[in-house]
Amino acid sequence: AVVSTQSTGSPPPGSSCGETKREDVFLRQLRDIVGHLLMPQKQNYEEELCVMVQNALKEQPEGSTLPRVIERESWKNEKFSSGLDHLRLAKSVSDIIQNIQRNKRKGSPH
C-alpha cells in the first residue's frame, strides 16, 4: 500500500482550488446570514447583519446574484434602509446557496 504524506483534505499541487475555497467561504457566510435572519432579533441585530452582508460581498464569486438580491431589499451604502423583509431575504439567500451547491455538483469531476 502506498502511504500518502499529504494531509487529507488538502488539494494536490497545481490544482485550482483557490476559487473553490473562496466559494466555500462565501457559502458559509451566506448560511450565517440566513441563520442570523431567522434568529430572534437582539441588540445590534441590523448592524451585525450589515457586516455579514459586507463580508459576503467581498468574497462573492464572479456572477453572484447576491448584489441584486440585497438591492431588492433596499441595500444602500453598505446598509439596509427601511422595510427589510427578513424572511424574503432569508429565502433569496437560501436560493443562492442552493444554486451554488447545484452548480458545484454539476461541475465536480466525480
Side-chain angles (χ1 to χ4, degrees):
V2 176
V3 178
S4 173
T5 56
Q6 249 186 339
S7 64
T8 54
S10 65
S15 76
S16 65
C17 72
E19 205 48 46
T20 308
K21 281 262 189 297
R22 185 173 186 171
E23 203 172 69
D24 290 343
V25 169
F26 183 58
L27 276 171
R28 197 171 325 117
Q29 290 171 329
L30 292 179
R31 287 188 189 111
D32 289 348
I33 290 170
V34 172
H36 191 76
L37 285 164
L38 298 177
M39 296 290 281
Q41 294 185 24
K42 57 184 194 294
Q43 201 175 1
N44 301 336
Y45 173 87
E46 197 89 18
E47 250 172 66
E48 287 177 24
L49 178 63
C50 291
V51 169
M52 293 169 132
V53 170
Q54 289 166 19
N55 289 337
L57 285 169
K58 285 180 202 153
E59 292 297 330
Q60 69 182 331
E62 205 174 310
S64 165
T65 55
L66 181 62
R68 278 201 313 270
V69 164
I70 59 175
E71 277 167 23
R72 230 183 3 232
E73 296 299 337
S74 64
W75 176 261
K76 299 217 182 347
N77 301 324
E78 302 190 336
K79 63 184 194 285
F80 292 99
S81 45
S82 62
L84 172 62
D85 184 331
H86 299 238
L87 289 178
R88 186 172 64 196
L89 181 57
K91 170 79 176 94
S92 298
V93 173
S94 292
D95 291 345
I96 295 173
I97 294 169
Q98 288 175 347
N99 287 336
I100 291 172
Q101 289 173 330
R102 203 173 303 126
N103 291 339
K104 260 179 130 168
R105 279 197 295 275
K106 257 192 261 172
S108 75
H110 308 298

